[in-house]
Amino acid sequence: MATATQLAKSPQALAAQPSVAGRLAGLWGRTRLAWAQLAPAQRTRFLTALLLVAALTGGLLWYVLRTDWRTLYTGLDPDDARQIAQTLTQAQVPFDLTQDGATIRVPAPDLDKARLATAAKGGVKSGRLGFELFDKPNWVGSEFDEQVNYQRALEGELEHTVGTLADVESARVHLVLPHDSLFREQDRPAKASVVLKLRHSSLADGEPEAIRNLVASSVDGLTPDHVVLVDADGRLPLGPKTPEALELAAEQNLEDKLVATLEPVTGAGNVRASVVLDYDPSATDTTQEIYDPSQTVTLSMQRTEQVSGPQPVAAGVPGTASNAPNSNTLPVYPQQSTLPQSAKSESDTYAASKTVKHVIQNPGRVRRLTAAIVVNDRLIAPAAKNKPAVWQPRSADELRQLTALAQAAVGFDSTRGDALTVQDLAFDQNRPQPAAPLPARVLTTAESSPLLVKYIAVLLALLVVLLLGVRPALAHLGALLLEAGKAAPRELAAPQAAAAFAPSSATDPERLRTHAVFEQVTAQLKREPTQSSRLLQGWIHSE
């Protein structure tokens, strides 16, 4: 009688082995048998784990295969959003519009293509059109319509130009064009108002005046003082700076001067300065007259002197003979004359010394200046590979020199009551900084390369699924299938033997001999079933 190993290795037995479909059917049967042997609690846990693995796998696939949307434009007006969407549709670029309609996103690979497509169409108009209004002629419009369109186009161009400033997010311009009339009382000057939506809290220095000059230069007869600027959020007036703003600007300017003066001596980053100015907001008009009684001054001096000698007096016989010229007739009476006379007069005016001062002081006079300056210790040795940096406090002589430099930089005036203090203190940066922990370094690296983090996260998630979900489930299922295979060897042995030794319709001697052997084996199995089952188990395990 042939052994089981010989029967299995015979050509007939090899030809009778099951196909792939048969193996799958057998695996399905064993799986059903193992599932039937599970307890209800085990079935619930298995189904829960299977659902979790499926959900996690689906989430990972969605994260990897989802579209990476990038922002193309944001803060759009409805008209601009409609035009951009039409342009992208014509360029066959997919896009996504947010619920508020102000942001358009496109896939990351199509971002450059979308930018080129929208730029070719003129980009975002940000509100009203400019002189594009006249691209299409209006053959039926009146002169009034043309004037209105010109005003609208001019307002739109000004809005686009003002909106290009770095601190301006959007602008709205309203113009009142000049109106000339035969009567002076009916003339109307040009005026303008500009509403600005700012990106920051305020405009930079000089930008309000620049916007006024820009708008005034674009309209005939418009002057900058007739242009009104309004902040859309109402945070501050867009006009001349308030006294408080001027005071803060002056303090910041002095602080910058102190740092710029002392840093070349102490080193970059080793100086901190704070300045407080006490301003007098009132205007002063002072007139002073000062008299010095110890000093007199002659204001005016006048002197008069008169001197007269003796003068003859008329004498003699009355008549012509004594009074005629060339007459030698002696007078009857002796000659007489008057006495000599002199007169002097002097007038002087004196006054005390007087000084007159007229002083006018505008608002914003500095009444007192207070400055506090902190300098870091002197660096002796920089940080090495395994050694921290060495710092040494500054000497008193060096602090006096730094104080003198600071006083000269800010215009220190002791008569005004100014105060300036320079202190040497160790900065916190001098202490050795501990190394950043590993999670912080990992987060820093993740922020610098988000794409690498994305793929690493996907890989880790797949490993977690395989190790914690798929591998234990497969191991548990394999153990159940092995137990099911051991429990039912009899049921599987008989069909296999019957399939291997089934008689054929052929009548050749080889087949007849094979059929005889099959009959003998069958009889042996019936006589000794226990021994036969052990033999079949050994044959199955040997294979």
Side-chain angles (χ1 to χ4, degrees):
M1 184 179 61
T3 62
T5 305
Q6 293 177 352
L7 293 177
K9 293 182 179 180
S10 62
Q12 293 78 6
L14 293 175
Q17 288 183 356
S19 61
V20 176
R23 292 178 180 177
L24 292 176
L27 179 61
W28 173 249
R30 290 193 297 271
T31 303
R32 293 182 60 186
L33 181 61
W35 179 260
Q37 292 179 355
L38 292 176
Q42 293 179 341
R43 295 181 184 181
T44 303
R45 289 195 297 269
F46 184 80
L47 289 176
T48 303
L50 184 62
L51 291 176
L52 290 177
V53 170
L56 184 57
T57 305
L60 292 175
L61 293 177
W62 172 84
Y63 181 74
V64 173
L65 301 178
R66 70 184 180 91
T67 303
D68 185 12
W69 295 102
R70 299 294 178 87
T71 301
L72 179 63
Y73 290 107
T74 184
L76 296 174
D77 294 336
D79 294 338
D80 293 335
R82 177 180 55 80
Q83 294 177 2
I84 296 298
Q86 184 178 1
T87 302
L88 295 177
T89 303
Q90 294 175 356
Q92 297 181 356
V93 176
F95 63 91
D96 176 64
L97 188 64
T98 57
Q99 294 181 356
D100 56 357
T103 303
I104 292 181
R105 302 183 301 171
V106 296
D110 298 332
L111 182 60
D112 296 335
K113 181 180 178 181
R115 288 176 176 173
L116 293 175
T118 54
K121 295 295 183 179
V124 179
K125 300 300 181 182
S126 299
R128 290 181 290 182
L129 298 176
F131 285 103
E132 295 88 351
L133 286 172
F134 297 99
D135 291 343
K136 296 181 180 180
N138 186 9
W139 301 105
V140 297
S142 62
E143 182 180 358
F144 177 76
D145 295 337
E146 292 296 327
Q147 184 68 20
V148 171
N149 289 335
Y150 172 75
Q151 181 175 347
R152 291 173 55 198
L154 187 57
E155 291 174 349
E157 290 294 334
L158 288 174
E159 290 175 2
H160 300 162
T161 304
V162 175
T164 58
L165 297 178
D167 293 333
V168 178
E169 182 176 349
S170 62
R172 186 76 173 177
V173 180
H174 298 279
L175 297 177
V176 177
L177 297 181
H179 176 70
D180 297 332
S181 177
L182 296 176
F183 302 97
R184 184 179 299 273
E185 294 80 5
Q186 296 180 0
D187 287 346
R188 184 179 63 192
K191 294 181 292 184
S193 60
V194 183
V195 181
L196 301 176
K197 186 176 183 181
L198 305 179
R199 301 182 186 274
H200 310 289
S201 60
S202 63
L203 291 174
D205 293 339
E207 281 190 345
E209 290 76 11
I211 295 175
R212 287 190 178 89
N213 293 329
L214 171 66
V215 176
S217 302
S218 304
V219 182
D220 293 336
L222 181 59
T223 56
D225 55 345
H226 284 86
V227 179
V228 178
L229 301 184
V230 181
D231 184 12
D233 297 331
R235 284 191 293 263
L236 75 166
L238 299 179
K241 287 190 175 181
T242 60
E244 292 78 8
L246 293 175
E247 182 178 351
L248 292 176
E251 292 176 353
Q252 183 64 39
N253 187 22
L254 291 177
E255 292 174 1
D256 295 339
K257 283 185 178 180
L258 287 173
V259 174
T261 304
L262 300 181
E263 268 193 347
V265 180
T266 61
N270 291 328
V271 180
R272 299 293 185 271
S274 178
V275 178
V276 177
L277 293 177
D278 184 10
Y279 274 102
D280 186 3
S282 61
T284 306
D285 187 355
T286 306
T287 303
Q288 294 180 350
E289 293 186 4
I290 302 174
Y291 295 90
D292 189 1
S294 62
Q295 296 181 1
T296 59
V297 179
T298 302
L299 298 181
S300 63
M301 179 180 294
Q302 183 179 1
R303 292 180 181 180
T304 304
E305 184 175 357
Q306 296 180 356
V307 177
S308 61
Q311 299 294 330
V313 180
V317 180
T320 59
S322 60
N323 292 319
N326 301 322
S327 176
N328 294 324
T329 304
L330 294 174
V332 179
Y333 302 98
Q335 190 75 20
Q336 297 180 359
S337 63
T338 62
L339 297 175
Q341 298 178 355
S342 64
K344 294 181 180 181
S345 65
E346 183 176 350
S347 178
D348 297 335
T349 303
Y350 299 93
S353 176
K354 180 178 69 172
T355 303
V356 179
K357 292 183 179 180
H358 185 71
V359 180
I360 299 176
Q361 292 182 349
N362 295 324
R365 181 177 62 89
V366 178
R367 291 185 297 198
R368 190 168 183 267
L369 180 146
T370 305
I373 304 170
V374 180
V375 295
N376 195 10
D377 293 342
R378 177 181 294 277
L379 179 62
I380 302 301
K385 184 176 181 181
N386 297 323
K387 296 182 180 179
V390 179
W391 300 83
Q392 180 181 356
R394 301 180 185 272
S395 62
D397 187 20
E398 187 176 1
L399 289 179
R400 283 193 297 270
Q401 295 177 0
L402 294 176
T403 303
L405 287 175
Q407 291 177 353
V410 298
F412 182 83
D413 188 1
S414 58
T415 60
R416 196 171 51 186
D418 295 349
L420 190 145
T421 304
V422 178
Q423 292 290 338
D424 177 23
L425 298 174
F427 286 7
D428 185 67
Q429 64 187 17
N430 299 353
R431 302 184 182 93
Q433 301 294 331
L438 181 61
R441 296 198 298 269
V442 171
L443 290 177
T444 304
T445 306
E447 292 177 356
S448 60
S449 56
L451 188 61
L452 177 63
V453 173
K454 174 181 177 181
Y455 289 115
I456 291 178
V458 172
L459 180 61
L460 292 177
L462 289 177
L463 290 177
V464 169
V465 170
L466 292 176
L467 294 178
L468 302 181
V470 178
R471 183 179 177 182
L474 292 178
H476 185 66
L477 183 61
L480 294 177
L481 293 177
L482 182 61
E483 292 179 0
K486 290 181 179 180
R490 297 181 181 180
E491 291 81 355
L492 297 176
Q496 291 178 357
F501 299 100
S504 175
S505 58
T507 58
D508 55 329
E510 184 66 22
R511 290 187 178 278
L512 291 177
R513 189 171 61 83
T514 302
H515 183 66
V517 172
F518 174 74
E519 294 294 337
Q520 292 177 2
V521 171
T522 304
Q524 182 66 24
L525 291 174
K526 291 180 179 179
R527 288 194 301 268
E528 298 179 359
T530 303
Q531 184 178 2
S532 300
S533 39
R534 292 177 181 175
L535 178 62
L536 289 176
Q537 288 179 3
W539 172 51
I540 292 173
H541 288 298
S542 65
E543 291 296 322

